[in-house]
Amino acid sequence: MDSNAISNHLEHSVRAQAELRLKLGFSVLVLMFAAVLVWGTSSPGIGSTELLILSTVYSGYNIAAWYLARHQSTVLPREIVMLTAIMDPIMLSFWLFCMGKPSVLFASFYLFTILGYGFRIGLTPLRICQAVSLTSFGIVVFYSPIWRVELMAAFSHGVLLLIVPLYASSLIRNLHTARNHAERESKAKSQLLANVSHELRTPLTGIVCSAQLLAAETDDPSVFSRAAAILKLSAALDDEIKQLLDLSKLQSGSGMTGQAPFELEAVVRHVKTALEPIAARKNIGLDVQFDSAISLPVVGYEHELISVLMNLAGNAVKFTDTGKVVVSVTLIRERPNEYVVGFRVTDTGIGIAQEHLGRIFEPFYQVETGETRKYSGTGLGTSIAMEHVKRMGSRLDVDSQIDKGTVFWFELHLLKLPETPAAPVPILQVPEALAVLSKCVLIADDHPMNLRLLQEMLVKDGHHVTAAHSGEEALHCLSSMYYDIVFLDFNMSDIDGARVFQLYRFGKVKAAPTFFITADTSETT
């Protein structure tokens, strides 16, 4: 784990342990009080006043530890861990010293505390807590009249406090090693997918460009039809690559955009515009229903919501051969500051057997397998939709019957955006370099085929094009003459596009509009 991941894990663990201590601590306090009321204290000198003081100190300690955990900017998380690893067994020891015979039962909380530190945080606080527990328990045994009588019980507890944490240490060490290995594997998988996406999309770009040139240059209907087929298949392949990357980002904890204002009706229109041609080709209906009571813009995850509806409605269209698909957005409840909105995707398709419903949200799971598969796809659409819905704070549910259809639904709490006076629509100013044809253009790409195809497309549009096969060659061209537009491949083997752009801009009063070309979808781009 890197330093940021370790810090985040420690902060989360400290907060979780403080909340558990607060909840469990008061429950244990009630039990210990009840035990004292029934069996009495360990000594006649310990009365209600002493117990009240101890209870007040114990409660104040729990509340203070919780407060510090919630405000970790005041005290470092590691300092909180060390402090509580010492204080937890000391507070328990005071209670064991004051209690009567039931203290033998409550001594087991030493182990609970020690192992809690080990599994939640690590071996160092475990050893500190173990050492303090053994020391304070030894003092209790030496001075408490109850424990001096129960020497065999004291000896057995001491042995357990010594041996069990030592054995648990090896298990915790193996557990942390396995977790770190799994995290490294996950990062490696994500990086592999990002690299594979680049390596797949680079030739895919060449295929698309070639097909577009063929379609533009030919008068032969059969050649045009084949070029259109290539473009259609390329788009399908690009969608499959995108789904693999989306799932990889979600599983790694990234992939969510920030919340922003948007129009719910615009999201629904987007889904309809994208899927209506596909539904029309299959001669099925696509009915989009939007509740007019949702009159205000909302604040939420627009991109993720579009992804969910596109995946669910896209699957519905794919698996429906007769009938229709209905996408409905309904206002369930309205509150002063938010809408509670229900989303529903219903189809009259082939349906899903009940035994498969519990697994369709698993990545790559498909009902049809083997050579008899009728419908293509990776089986990632519902997995991606479920992950997005979870991260938006809801749950995606499904119900289905064979040959009767399927329905997916979920609810979202969306903050309202108050109405504001409409701002004047800005007039889009097209850069002069893009508004006039026959400009001098530089393109830099270390993939020779893509470079040649891009050059052909730009020349066909009437531009004067200079092609650079590397970042170094691009810098040489930029230093020797002026260009109206520059296109740089983001990933080049010698100098990447971003570095080329930085060196180009350095010392330039007026730089040409520069665009990056990349098939990479990693966070760094």
Side-chain angles (χ1 to χ4, degrees):
M1 297 173 70
D2 58 30
S3 58
N4 288 333
I6 292 172
S7 178
N8 292 335
H9 173 71
L10 183 59
E11 290 176 7
H12 174 75
S13 298
V14 168
R15 193 175 292 111
Q17 191 154 8
E19 291 175 355
L20 178 64
R21 183 188 296 108
L22 195 65
K23 295 175 183 177
L24 188 61
F26 286 107
S27 300
V28 173
L29 181 62
V30 172
L31 288 175
M32 289 190 291
F33 246 116
V36 169
L37 290 175
V38 174
W39 285 281
T41 60
S42 59
S43 171
I46 301 174
S48 57
T49 302
E50 288 75 14
L51 290 176
L52 183 60
I53 293 173
L54 181 57
S55 301
T56 304
V57 172
Y58 180 70
S59 301
Y61 162 69
N62 284 339
I63 295 172
W66 174 82
Y67 178 83
L68 290 175
R70 298 284 294 182
H71 302 81
Q72 295 183 28
S73 57
T74 308
V75 182
L76 293 176
R78 188 161 296 279
E79 294 174 351
I80 298 174
V81 169
M82 297 308 169
L83 177 63
T84 54
I86 294 171
M87 289 302 300
D88 282 352
I90 289 176
M91 294 302 300
L92 178 59
S93 299
F94 273 114
W95 273 106
L96 295 183
F97 178 80
C98 294
M99 294 175 66
K101 292 183 178 180
S103 61
V104 177
L105 300 176
F106 286 94
S108 59
F109 280 95
Y110 279 122
L111 273 181
F112 179 81
T113 305
I114 295 168
L115 298 180
Y117 278 101
F119 283 104
R120 279 188 180 274
I121 299 171
L123 294 180
T124 300
L126 178 145
R127 294 190 181 106
I128 292 173
C129 189
Q130 182 187 18
V132 176
S133 296
L134 284 168
T135 303
S136 58
F137 180 61
I139 294 173
V140 170
V141 171
F142 186 79
Y143 286 102
S144 171
I146 298 296
W147 283 97
R148 284 203 300 268
V149 175
E150 301 286 348
L151 287 179
M152 188 58 69
F155 178 76
S156 64
H157 278 294
V159 170
L160 288 175
L161 291 180
L162 182 65
I163 295 177
V164 173
L166 291 177
Y167 175 67
S169 297
S170 63
L171 299 180
I172 292 169
R173 191 179 295 108
N174 293 336
L175 180 64
H176 286 182
T177 301
R179 185 184 66 187
N180 292 337
H181 177 71
E183 288 176 351
R184 288 195 299 270
E185 290 288 325
S186 178
K187 289 180 180 178
K189 181 190 72 173
S190 299
Q191 188 59 48
L192 174 64
L193 283 172
N195 293 339
V196 167
S197 75
H198 180 267
E199 297 304 321
L200 289 175
R201 280 178 164 168
T202 297
L204 189 60
T205 301
I207 294 169
V208 170
C209 291
S210 298
Q212 288 174 340
L213 286 170
L214 279 174
E217 294 172 353
T218 186
D219 293 326
D220 188 338
S222 63
V223 174
F224 183 85
S225 175
R226 290 167 187 163
I230 293 173
L231 290 172
K232 180 181 177 182
L233 293 171
S234 299
L237 178 58
D238 190 59
D239 286 342
E240 300 294 349
I241 295 172
K242 182 177 180 297
Q243 283 200 331
L244 283 168
L245 293 168
D246 285 347
L247 183 66
S248 174
K249 289 179 181 179
L250 287 169
Q251 289 179 338
S252 66
S254 61
M256 289 290 283
T257 61
Q259 295 194 63
F262 67 96
E263 295 274 358
L264 263 179
E265 192 171 8
V267 170
V268 177
R269 285 199 305 268
H270 177 93
V271 174
K272 183 177 182 181
T273 301
L275 297 177
E276 203 167 34
I278 303 173
R281 285 196 297 269
K282 295 188 69 175
N283 293 319
I284 62 174
L286 178 60
D287 188 9
V288 174
Q289 301 171 355
F290 183 79
D291 195 334
S292 59
I294 306 172
S295 56
L296 295 176
V298 296
V299 178
Y301 297 96
E302 180 182 14
H303 175 76
E304 285 74 14
L305 182 56
I306 290 175
S307 175
V308 171
L309 293 178
M310 284 293 295
N311 276 306
L312 296 179
N315 277 350
V317 170
K318 179 198 294 188
F319 295 110
T320 300
D321 296 322
T322 60
K324 66 178 181 179
V325 173
V326 179
V327 180
S328 63
V329 179
T330 309
L331 179 62
I332 298 174
R333 288 186 303 277
E334 182 175 2
R335 293 169 180 161
N337 297 321
E338 73 172 6
Y339 291 125
V340 181
V341 183
F343 298 85
R344 199 175 188 89
V345 178
T346 308
D347 65 62
T348 57
I350 60 175
I352 306 168
Q354 293 296 313
E355 60 266 25
H356 295 293
L357 287 179
R359 299 193 60 191
I360 59 168
F361 296 116
E362 296 177 10
F364 305 104
Y365 183 78
Q366 293 178 323
V367 175
E368 290 186 320
T369 57
E371 298 179 357
T372 60
R373 283 185 60 194
K374 178 181 177 182
Y375 300 95
S376 60
T378 56
L380 293 176
T382 52
S383 303
I384 293 171
M386 173 63 92
E387 286 295 325
H388 278 314
V389 170
K390 280 183 179 178
R391 292 181 178 223
M392 288 188 285
S394 186
R395 173 182 171 80
L396 180 59
D397 290 303
V398 60
D399 192 18
S400 185
Q401 294 184 39
I402 293 293
D403 297 328
K404 291 186 178 180
T406 305
V407 56
F408 289 89
W409 72 93
F410 61 96
E411 295 180 7
L412 290 181
H413 293 250
L414 299 170
L415 292 175
K416 295 180 184 177
L417 188 67
E419 286 183 302
T420 56
V425 179
I427 300 173
L428 181 63
Q429 298 291 335
V430 181
E432 182 183 351
L434 301 179
V436 184
L437 294 178
S438 300
K439 290 295 181 180
C440 292
V441 181
L442 171 68
I443 54 174
D445 195 328
D446 60 354
H447 194 281
M449 181 62 69
N450 283 354
L451 184 64
R452 184 171 66 81
L453 290 169
L454 287 170
Q455 185 177 10
E456 285 183 21
M457 295 179 77
L458 290 168
V459 169
K460 188 177 178 61
D461 287 337
H463 298 291
H464 302 286
V465 181
T466 301
H469 294 80
S470 66
E472 185 177 352
E473 189 177 341
L475 284 173
H476 176 74
C477 294
L478 289 167
S479 64
S480 59
M481 68 175 292
Y482 175 79
Y483 293 93
D484 298 304
I485 311 172
V486 178
F487 292 95
L488 300 173
D489 181 19
F490 193 88
N491 294 300
M492 287 186 284
S493 56
D494 58 343
I495 309 175
D496 63 62
R499 184 62 177 163
V500 171
F501 178 69
Q502 290 173 348
L503 294 172
Y504 166 54
R505 285 293 301 268
F506 182 75
K508 282 282 183 181
V509 177
K510 184 180 179 181
T514 304
F515 302 89
F516 290 105
I517 308 167
T518 181
D520 197 343
T521 60
S522 63
E523 296 283 339
T524 54
T525 60

